[in-house]
Amino acid sequence: MSEELGLTVKKEDAPEWYQQTVLKADFADYSPVKGCIVIKHWGYAIWEKIQEVFNDAIKKHGVQNYYFPMLIPESLIKKEAEHFSGFTPEVAWVTHAGKNKLDEKLAIRPTSETIMYAMFSKWLKSYRQLPMKVHQWCNIMRWETKMTKPFLRGREFLWQEGHTVHETKEEAEKETSWALEEYAKLSEDLLAIPVVKGKKTDSDKFAGAEFTLGIESLMSDGKALQMGTSHMLGHNFAKPYEVKFFGRDEKWHFGWQTSWGTSTRLLGGVILTHGDDKGAILPPKVAPIQAVIIPILFKGKEEKVIKKCKELEKKLNKTKLRIHFDNREGYTAGWKFNDWELKGVPLRIEIGPRDVDNKKFIIVRRDTGEKIAIEENNIQETLETFLKKIHNNLFTRAKEFVKTHTAKPKTVKDLKTAINSKQWALIPHCSREECEKELENKSEGGPRIIPLKQDSIKNQICINCKKEAKYWLYWGKSY
Amino acid sequence: MSEELGLTVKKEDAPEWYQQTVLKADFADYSPVKGCIVIKHWGYAIWEKIQEVFNDAIKKHGVQNYYFPMLIPESLIKKEAEHFSGFTPEVAWVTHAGKNKLDEKLAIRPTSETIMYAMFSKWLKSYRQLPMKVHQWCNIMRWETKMTKPFLRGREFLWQEGHTVHETKEEAEKETSWALEEYAKLSEDLLAIPVVKGKKTDSDKFAGAEFTLGIESLMSDGKALQMGTSHMLGHNFAKPYEVKFFGRDEKWHFGWQTSWGTSTRLLGGVILTHGDDKGAILPPKVAPIQAVIIPILFKGKEEKVIKKCKELEKKLNKTKLRIHFDNREGYTAGWKFNDWELKGVPLRIEIGPRDVDNKKFIIVRRDTGEKIAIEENNIQETLETFLKKIHNNLFTRAKEFVKTHTAKPKTVKDLKTAINSKQWALIPHCSREECEKELENKSEGGPRIIPLKQDSIKNQICINCKKEAKYWLYWGKSY
């Protein structure tokens, strides 16, 4: 059975490794619907943790949860032209109900600006109602025609979308930055994934936004993953959807709007960033199980070991720790080790008959493989300490990876070499869209993000056109 | 502003009262998509509480959360004929993506048996994997052609669906009963809505089930609301979808299956059951705000009152209580009283300048209107006590209502009279489907539920056909 269980490839064979890890560790499975996956319990439990933490953060910020209809009439989605043309190529359309053709076809939401702002227009009357902060957790449908990949690119995914309206442009811009910071915290503090905070180039921003902020992270296969975006919408939607308020000056004004979202693609980021040849390694704060207890059984001495394991599981689960005792019969300890390593549980606690007597156990770190002898009497504190250490180590390791895989090429040729050797690059760029397109054709990669933290760009020239450079830009392949 | 705020009708004018309460108290709003509502923050926050409690209950029972694709290929949904014909009249179909016609049309899930069991068939191999307990929270689409009503009947709603596979018929039946009990607890212990636990008649069971258990509650307008159902599926799906396992006897067997669900219609039940002429009354355990603090302000003495209100809000929110200080400017205390009464907050705490000095406040119960003087120094315990009292009072009141609105007619004429005077009835019935249909034509109501707790049916004759009665049956109108 162990052949079936383990991975048959190493992590360097990224696409195959990723697929095997996702499927074999029960994160997700392919479904009978092309491009749509089943998120299985192991993946979904991580999503629940992410939801919990993010919900707390936004509620503290005065954001309220709603639920809006999934279907959007064609006439409504068409109102903002740029938005419509950006999304319609990938919209799934409902045209019939039962045996009847509908009078108007309905889009399954690719995002909810249009349906939400039609409602905001109805609800918003006075500046006293501002800021308005509306949020929902829901499923989203975008009919990808490119190759789909579990979590990273799919036709249906789960996400959250926040939508706010403000009295002034400054407040809206501040909110856009607030959301970006929350996403960065979510990635780094919760998932141990280091990110670059920045701004999208104009060619790459959200259809209908004035500008888009985003966080990007470099995955272990050299592709960048967009982990969350925050859009300053300005008046672009407020005008066609008539999101207006009666102001302090007793005149009507358009609201300043923002929207921001992240999705189950974060799960793909977790798997890709931290995993190794044995499978996933889960960041402790979101691991559905933080430590698994495995009994080491010898004939005649099973009882006292199992008793101790149960006792420990019960005791530790009364704390904030998430502990599981793997009491499955008919599997060897070795088989269980492999199983939980594949799934990425951060710590393993091994308990044999002698350990019960000595009140000392062996714990094994998933991230380093290190074995540590610990005392039973302060086990809770010890586990907590090691979970923190694992979080920090995963984060440090990932930061180191990004550092060593960020090229600073001087020429397009060097850029191309960097991209082809699984790196991304920080390049000086002139900011012109034509030049960006030209460089895309030459280099395979594309513009990822203009980092907010900019080194001096003075006297730098654009890597491609040699005109004056306007900013440093991350350039690379992406998911 | 207070004219706009309050209800313009009394609760006895049920349809208009319900609509005004839902809209004015921010439970929900109509959307530009016919038959689909926006669940607003006040309604959604209650749904979140329900999710929290139910999630805990099912996880303790070994159920795991998943997420399955929303779109189901026509060929897949067709496999179980009875199920298909039961649901297709109300299925919304996706036929196009972008500009392209799909090869096969896709149903938006009206429920997920078919897509889930296609996966179960792939996953299930051995009896060791049983029981398999899979669950999801998601949106559901059923293209209602009848008049829709927020929460109670709509084209899109949110729900949970549990799906289990068992080794034996007995285990599956036990699981079906377990789910029923959980729904009863949810209704009674959490929402203070008394329910009748029972079994659906054959004509009324889930399309594809062997039998359906359900909980029904009588609403204040005399219509019954189905608050949750639990289906024993037997082998009806296992056979067409090939949900099979290799058994202890080293032979292949079909799995015994169950499915069970409840939805956002519970919110409709809460509003209808407990509300009064002033609006909603929320059961304390799910009220997003359990007590609202309203400052009574006098010129020159605002500061100390506001300071005390803030202090109290902060202190009490550190406990498990959910407290809100309504510090809105430009609204009178009276306006705020009405606003929170409309929304149904169980307790109001009034704090004026003299109260701050005396360390005594007035609290007002939403359910009875009673005003009580309380001491500041044991305020937490006092609030907790009153929240419990309110829960109990709401439950007792609702039980009393059901009791006084349950007729026991001897004749069809009396049955008709009962139904037309906003009651339901407990009648002896022969169990024959033809007789049921006949009685539906005569009486306007229909079969609701065969209660599990049966008084003796011996020597009773069917109210309609006068043949031997087989069981007592609740009969009435429904949502």
Side-chain angles (χ1 to χ4, degrees):
Chain A
M1 233 159 158
S2 49
E3 283 81 13
E4 254 187 67
L5 180 74
L7 304 181
T8 60
V9 294
K10 303 215 163 198
K11 198 184 179 189
E12 60 197 32
D13 181 3
E16 178 64 21
W17 174 90
Y18 181 74
Q19 179 174 310
Q20 286 197 13
T21 302
V22 165
L23 299 181
K24 294 189 173 184
D26 289 326
F27 287 103
D29 200 356
Y30 295 107
S31 84
V33 195
K34 219 187 140 204
C36 297
I37 59 166
V38 177
I39 304 181
K40 293 181 79 176
H41 58 96
W42 196 245
Y44 198 84
I46 299 172
W47 182 238
E48 286 180 310
K49 289 280 156 233
I50 293 173
Q51 289 188 302
E52 205 180 299
V53 170
F54 196 70
N55 247 335
D56 276 356
I58 61 174
K59 284 181 183 179
K60 272 188 194 132
H61 188 67
V63 178
Q64 291 178 310
N65 282 332
Y66 284 64
Y67 184 77
F68 287 76
M70 175 183 63
L71 298 180
I72 307 172
E74 187 184 22
S75 56
L76 188 62
I77 208 173
K78 265 184 166 170
K79 278 193 176 179
E80 209 287 324
E82 201 181 323
H83 183 70
F84 181 68
S85 66
F87 279 105
T88 38
E90 47 185 35
V91 162
W93 294 102
V94 175
T95 58
H96 290 72
K99 293 198 168 172
N100 305 313
K101 194 174 178 218
L102 301 179
D103 291 339
E104 182 180 13
K105 60 182 183 175
L106 302 168
I108 299 183
R109 62 180 159 226
T111 177
S112 302
E113 278 73 9
T114 59
I115 182 92
M116 283 197 180
Y117 303 166
M119 297 309 296
F120 287 9
S121 167
K122 184 178 167 189
W123 296 335
L124 183 57
K125 291 184 173 73
S126 155
Y127 73 90
R128 287 163 179 269
Q129 291 165 272
L130 299 180
M132 189 180 259
K133 300 186 182 186
V134 172
H135 182 268
Q136 76 177 350
W137 295 96
C138 64
N139 56 341
I140 285 294
M141 184 75 61
R142 295 181 187 171
W143 212 259
E144 294 286 351
T145 48
K146 292 188 209 164
M147 181 100 104
T148 60
K149 214 166 178 153
F151 299 125
L152 299 167
R153 181 180 293 280
R155 288 179 173 170
E156 186 186 11
F157 53 88
L158 303 181
W159 85 349
Q160 59 67 225
E161 47 182 325
H163 297 261
T164 66
V165 190
H166 304 267
E167 215 177 328
T168 66
K169 187 177 176 181
E170 292 65 39
E171 267 184 59
E173 284 178 349
K174 216 174 137 193
E175 188 80 358
T176 315
S177 299
W178 169 83
L180 187 78
E181 287 300 328
E182 286 302 323
Y183 291 135
K185 273 194 240 166
L186 200 67
S187 292
E188 300 197 334
D189 299 350
L190 195 73
L191 307 177
I193 302 177
V195 294
V196 173
K197 290 183 276 190
K199 196 172 171 177
K200 292 273 169 184
T201 66
D202 276 347
S203 67
D204 206 23
K205 70 182 182 189
F206 178 71
E210 279 199 357
F211 63 81
T212 290
L213 303 179
I215 51 169
E216 297 268 333
S217 184
L218 183 66
M219 297 292 107
S220 53
D221 57 355
K223 289 186 190 166
L225 186 68
Q226 177 179 299
M227 307 266 294
T229 47
S230 179
H231 316 296
M232 169 65 181
L233 304 177
H235 284 157
N236 293 352
F237 287 86
K239 286 180 180 171
Y241 291 91
E242 300 190 71
V243 179
K244 291 190 292 191
F245 64 93
F246 198 65
R248 294 172 202 268
D249 58 359
E250 309 209 323
K251 286 179 190 157
W252 286 92
H253 299 273
F254 289 111
W256 294 95
Q257 296 188 267
T258 83
S259 70
W260 27 276
T262 192
S263 74
T264 38
R265 79 178 345 203
L266 292 177
L267 302 182
V270 164
I271 296 166
L272 277 172
T273 302
H274 302 304
D276 66 11
D277 291 346
K278 289 177 173 179
I281 302 179
L282 297 183
K285 292 182 194 173
V286 294
I289 297 171
Q290 296 175 312
V292 62
I293 303 172
I294 314 258
I296 313 293
L297 299 173
F298 294 93
K299 268 214 174 120
K301 291 174 179 170
E302 291 96 339
E303 207 182 324
K304 74 169 174 185
V305 170
I306 289 174
K307 194 179 153 218
K308 175 57 71 186
C309 292
K310 281 187 182 165
E311 179 197 314
L312 215 55
E313 181 192 35
K314 202 175 159 188
K315 181 183 137 196
L316 291 171
N317 276 331
K318 281 182 185 158
T319 70
K320 284 193 177 173
L321 291 167
R322 297 185 291 275
I323 309 296
H324 174 68
F325 166 37
D326 183 352
N327 196 18
R328 284 177 289 182
E329 285 174 23
Y331 298 88
T332 65
W335 190 92
K336 290 179 182 178
F337 292 174
N338 291 339
D339 190 25
W340 295 110
E341 281 175 353
L342 173 63
K343 283 194 157 66
V345 168
L347 285 172
R348 171 171 91 223
I349 308 170
E350 301 177 4
I351 302 184
R354 201 183 292 178
D355 305 321
V356 178
D357 299 337
N358 297 344
K359 302 197 174 207
K360 284 184 184 174
F361 314 130
I362 294 292
I363 62 169
V364 184
R365 283 175 68 157
R366 173 67 183 88
D367 60 333
T368 58
E370 198 185 344
K371 293 185 174 204
I372 306 119
I374 67 162
E375 304 275 341
E376 184 182 351
N377 61 16
N378 54 357
I379 187 165
Q380 185 193 333
E381 295 72 20
T382 311
L383 295 179
E384 282 165 357
T385 305
F386 276 99
L387 291 172
K388 269 184 209 146
K389 282 188 186 175
I390 293 171
H391 174 91
N392 293 339
N393 180 44
L394 291 177
F395 188 51
T396 306
R397 215 147 86 166
K399 270 197 293 194
E400 190 58 28
F401 176 84
V402 177
K403 203 171 153 190
T404 55
H405 287 73
T406 304
K408 270 211 170 185
K410 301 279 179 209
T411 64
V412 173
K413 196 180 154 228
D414 287 353
L415 172 61
K416 217 173 144 176
T417 309
I419 302 293
N420 287 331
S421 53
K422 299 190 177 179
Q423 303 189 28
W424 67 358
L426 192 57
I427 59 168
H429 196 264
C430 65
S431 88
R432 292 180 310 116
E433 213 167 315
E434 318 86 81
C435 175
E436 227 180 85
K437 291 276 163 269
E438 212 182 280
L439 188 56
E440 277 185 301
N441 291 330
K442 288 183 191 170
S443 80
E444 292 187 45
R448 299 281 62 90
I449 199 99
I450 308 161
L452 295 182
K453 267 194 199 159
Q454 286 274 330
D455 284 340
S456 169
I457 195 70
K458 224 176 147 185
N459 298 329
Q460 297 282 345
I461 55 165
C462 173
I463 197 171
N464 182 46
C465 70
K466 309 300 177 194
K467 292 204 167 93
E468 188 192 349
K470 291 283 164 57
Y471 46 61
W472 290 99
L473 170 66
Y474 277 93
W475 191 272
K477 291 187 185 174
S478 75
Y479 274 102
Chain B
M1 229 156 162
S2 47
E3 285 81 10
E4 253 188 66
L5 179 72
L7 304 181
T8 60
V9 293
K10 303 213 162 201
K11 198 182 180 190
E12 60 197 31
D13 182 3
E16 179 63 21
W17 174 89
Y18 181 75
Q19 181 175 309
Q20 285 197 13
T21 302
V22 166
L23 298 181
K24 293 189 173 183
D26 290 326
F27 287 104
D29 199 356
Y30 294 108
S31 84
V33 195
K34 220 187 139 205
C36 296
I37 58 165
V38 177
I39 305 181
K40 292 180 79 175
H41 58 97
W42 197 243
Y44 199 84
I46 299 172
W47 182 238
E48 287 181 309
K49 289 280 157 233
I50 293 173
Q51 288 188 300
E52 205 180 299
V53 171
F54 196 70
N55 245 335
D56 276 356
I58 62 174
K59 284 180 183 179
K60 272 187 195 133
H61 188 67
V63 178
Q64 291 178 310
N65 282 333
Y66 285 63
Y67 184 78
F68 287 77
M70 175 183 62
L71 299 180
I72 307 172
E74 186 182 23
S75 57
L76 188 62
I77 208 174
K78 266 184 165 170
K79 277 192 175 180
E80 209 287 322
E82 201 182 323
H83 183 71
F84 181 67
S85 66
F87 279 104
T88 39
E90 48 185 35
V91 161
W93 293 102
V94 175
T95 58
H96 291 73
K99 295 200 167 170
N100 305 315
K101 195 174 178 220
L102 301 178
D103 292 338
E104 181 180 13
K105 60 181 183 174
L106 303 167
I108 299 183
R109 61 182 159 225
T111 177
S112 303
E113 278 75 10
T114 59
I115 182 93
M116 284 196 180
Y117 304 166
M119 298 308 298
F120 288 9
S121 166
K122 185 179 166 188
W123 296 335
L124 183 57
K125 293 187 171 73
S126 154
Y127 72 91
R128 287 163 178 267
Q129 291 165 272
L130 300 179
M132 189 180 262
K133 300 185 182 186
V134 172
H135 182 270
Q136 75 177 352
W137 295 95
C138 65
N139 57 340
I140 285 293
M141 185 73 61
R142 294 180 188 172
W143 214 260
E144 294 286 352
T145 48
K146 292 188 208 164
M147 181 100 103
T148 61
K149 217 169 177 151
F151 299 126
L152 299 167
R153 182 180 293 279
R155 288 178 173 170
E156 186 185 9
F157 54 87
L158 303 181
W159 85 349
Q160 59 66 224
E161 48 182 325
H163 297 262
T164 66
V165 190
H166 304 267
E167 216 177 327
T168 66
K169 188 177 178 182
E170 291 66 38
E171 268 184 60
E173 284 178 350
K174 215 174 137 193
E175 188 80 357
T176 315
S177 299
W178 168 83
L180 188 78
E181 287 300 329
E182 287 302 324
Y183 291 134
K185 274 194 239 167
L186 200 67
S187 292
E188 301 197 331
D189 299 350
L190 195 71
L191 307 176
I193 302 176
V195 293
V196 172
K197 291 182 274 189
K199 196 173 171 175
K200 292 273 167 186
T201 67
D202 275 349
S203 67
D204 206 24
K205 71 182 183 189
F206 177 72
E210 278 198 358
F211 63 82
T212 291
L213 303 179
I215 53 169
E216 297 268 334
S217 183
L218 183 67
M219 297 292 107
S220 54
D221 58 355
K223 289 185 190 167
L225 185 68
Q226 177 179 297
M227 308 265 293
T229 48
S230 179
H231 316 296
M232 170 66 181
L233 304 177
H235 285 156
N236 293 352
F237 287 86
K239 286 180 181 171
Y241 292 91
E242 300 190 73
V243 179
K244 292 189 292 192
F245 63 93
F246 198 65
R248 294 171 202 270
D249 58 0
E250 308 209 323
K251 285 178 190 159
W252 286 92
H253 299 272
F254 289 111
W256 293 95
Q257 295 188 267
T258 82
S259 69
W260 28 276
T262 191
S263 74
T264 38
R265 79 179 342 204
L266 292 176
L267 302 181
V270 164
I271 296 167
L272 277 171
T273 302
H274 301 305
D276 66 11
D277 291 347
K278 291 180 173 177
I281 302 179
L282 297 184
K285 292 183 194 172
V286 295
I289 296 171
Q290 295 175 312
V292 62
I293 303 172
I294 313 256
I296 313 294
L297 299 174
F298 294 92
K299 267 214 174 119
K301 290 174 179 170
E302 291 96 339
E303 208 181 323
K304 74 169 173 187
V305 170
I306 289 175
K307 195 180 151 215
K308 175 58 70 185
C309 292
K310 280 187 183 165
E311 179 197 314
L312 215 56
E313 182 192 34
K314 201 175 159 186
K315 182 183 136 194
L316 291 171
N317 276 331
K318 282 182 185 157
T319 70
K320 283 190 179 174
L321 291 167
R322 295 185 292 274
I323 308 297
H324 175 67
F325 167 36
D326 184 352
N327 196 19
R328 284 178 289 181
E329 286 173 23
Y331 298 87
T332 65
W335 189 93
K336 290 178 183 178
F337 292 174
N338 291 339
D339 189 27
W340 295 110
E341 280 176 354
L342 172 63
K343 283 194 157 67
V345 168
L347 285 171
R348 172 171 90 223
I349 308 169
E350 301 177 4
I351 302 183
R354 202 183 292 177
D355 305 322
V356 177
D357 298 338
N358 296 344
K359 303 198 173 205
K360 284 184 183 173
F361 312 129
I362 295 292
I363 62 169
V364 183
R365 280 175 70 157
R366 174 65 184 88
D367 61 334
T368 59
E370 198 186 343
K371 293 185 174 205
I372 305 119
I374 66 161
E375 303 274 341
E376 184 183 348
N377 62 16
N378 54 356
I379 186 166
Q380 184 193 334
E381 296 72 19
T382 311
L383 295 179
E384 282 165 357
T385 305
F386 276 98
L387 291 172
K388 269 183 208 145
K389 282 188 187 176
I390 294 171
H391 174 91
N392 293 339
N393 180 45
L394 291 177
F395 189 51
T396 306
R397 214 146 90 166
K399 270 196 293 195
E400 190 57 26
F401 176 86
V402 177
K403 203 171 154 193
T404 55
H405 287 74
T406 304
K408 269 210 170 185
K410 301 278 178 212
T411 64
V412 172
K413 198 181 152 228
D414 288 353
L415 172 62
K416 218 175 144 176
T417 309
I419 302 291
N420 286 332
S421 52
K422 300 190 176 180
Q423 303 189 29
W424 67 358
L426 192 56
I427 58 168
H429 197 264
C430 66
S431 89
R432 292 180 311 116
E433 212 167 317
E434 318 85 81
C435 176
E436 228 180 83
K437 290 275 162 271
E438 212 181 279
L439 189 54
E440 276 185 302
N441 290 330
K442 288 183 191 170
S443 79
E444 292 187 44
R448 299 282 61 92
I449 199 98
I450 307 160
L452 294 182
K453 269 195 197 157
Q454 287 273 329
D455 284 341
S456 170
I457 195 71
K458 224 176 150 186
N459 299 328
Q460 297 282 346
I461 56 165
C462 175
I463 197 171
N464 181 47
C465 70
K466 310 297 179 196
K467 293 205 166 96
E468 187 192 351
K470 291 282 165 59
Y471 46 61
W472 290 97
L473 170 65
Y474 278 93
W475 191 271
K477 291 186 185 174
S478 74
Y479 274 102

